[in-house]
Amino acid sequence: DTGVSQDPRHKITKRGQNVTFRCDPISEHNRLYWYRQTLGQGPEFLTYFQNEAQLEKSRLLSDRFSAERPKGSFSTLEIQRTEQGDSAMYLCASSLASGQGFSYGYTFGSGTRLTVV
Amino acid sequence: KNEVEQSPQNLTAQEGEFITINCSYSVGISALHWLQQHPGGGIVSLFMLSSGKKKHGRLIATINIQEKHSSLHITASHPRDSAVYICAVPPQGGSEKLVFGKGTKLTVNP
């Protein structure tokens, strides 16, 4: 296993266009997280999945954002009608949740840097 | 909600110096993460610790659960250690999503 993979690494798009990012987690991990990081700030939580169920969404995730994890493996994050304020690094992470709910092996991907022009 | 404070915000050192980065949080937790982020964005997990001390090469992380404080030390610092170091904790003691500090930007000069 090569860790958490994100694609693409960089994306430049025009305002108003839709973009979709993909995250492939570590194969045995059942939890997958999306975070967003703007310049000079620490990452902020967007949403997370346990298997295919989306268990929590942040207020940051406006109705232009949608995330899916259809088969409990890879996940996609789509942003519709992009705005300049969406420019950020989008980070994916995965972990293995124990029966008690604790997460092990928290691993981050390299991120997708989105620039909206 | 857990509040995470890191200090210092920026740190410049000469090669070979001993480095300490501090992290304080407000709500008791099950585990704390130290992460490294190089220019270009990718985040690497350095440590996850819930008590005591962990060591990996020249990196040492300690945590004091009672005082809600953790430190990351780098011995014999090297220019390749230059990066942003981020502390992250679960928001309210659970361990799903993480709350991140703003990071400490470390620059090690040769």
Side-chain angles (χ1 to χ4, degrees), chain B residues 69-99:
Chain B
H69 180 270
S70 176
S71 293
L72 178 69
H73 305 285
I74 305 175
T75 61
S77 58
H78 190 275
R80 64 174 174 266
D81 297 326
S82 298
V84 175
Y85 293 85
I86 303 172
C87 164
V89 300
Q92 289 177 330
S95 55
E96 314 107 9
K97 63 189 178 186
L98 297 177
V99 174

Side-chain angles (χ1 to χ4, degrees), chain A residues 17 24 29 32 35 38 40 46 51 64 85 95-96 103 117:
Chain A
Q17 296 294 305
D24 286 88
H29 284 182
L32 185 148
Y35 292 89
T38 52
L46 291 179
N51 300 312
R64 296 185 297 106
S95 69
L96 179 64
S103 287
V117 297

Side-chain angles (χ1 to χ4, degrees), chain A residues 31 33 35 37 41-43 45 48 56 89 91 101-103 106 108 110, chain B residues 30 33 35 37 40-43 45 48 86 95-98 100-102:
Chain A
R31 281 188 177 165
Y33 312 79
Y35 292 89
Q37 185 180 26
Q41 300 296 315
F45 170 77
Y48 93 96
E56 188 172 349
M89 173 74 80
L91 292 160
F102 291 110
S103 287
Y106 221 108
F108 284 86
S110 296
Chain B
S30 54
H33 299 256
L35 311 164
Q37 187 170 34
I43 285 184
S45 181
M48 183 174 77
I86 303 172
S95 55
E96 314 107 9
K97 63 189 178 186
L98 297 177
F100 295 79
K102 290 188 177 180

Side-chain angles (χ1 to χ4, degrees), chain A residues 10-78:
Chain A
H10 304 273
K11 178 71 176 179
I12 301 174
T13 191
K14 290 184 179 178
R15 192 174 50 188
Q17 296 294 305
N18 299 344
V19 294
T20 300
F21 310 141
R22 177 178 170 127
C23 172
D24 286 88
I26 290 176
S27 55
E28 58 266 25
H29 284 182
N30 53 5
R31 281 188 177 165
L32 185 148
Y33 312 79
W34 285 99
Y35 292 89
R36 181 174 69 184
Q37 185 180 26
T38 52
L39 203 61
Q41 300 296 315
E44 295 174 296
F45 170 77
L46 291 179
T47 187
Y48 93 96
F49 295 82
Q50 179 144 328
N51 300 312
E52 65 275 11
Q54 188 173 19
L55 296 189
E56 188 172 349
K57 291 170 61 172
S58 161
R59 291 191 309 269
L60 294 174
L61 214 66
S62 77
D63 56 6
R64 296 185 297 106
F65 287 70
S66 62
E68 292 183 346
R69 194 183 183 198
K71 297 180 182 178
S73 56
F74 73 91
S75 175
T76 56
L77 177 68
E78 182 184 15

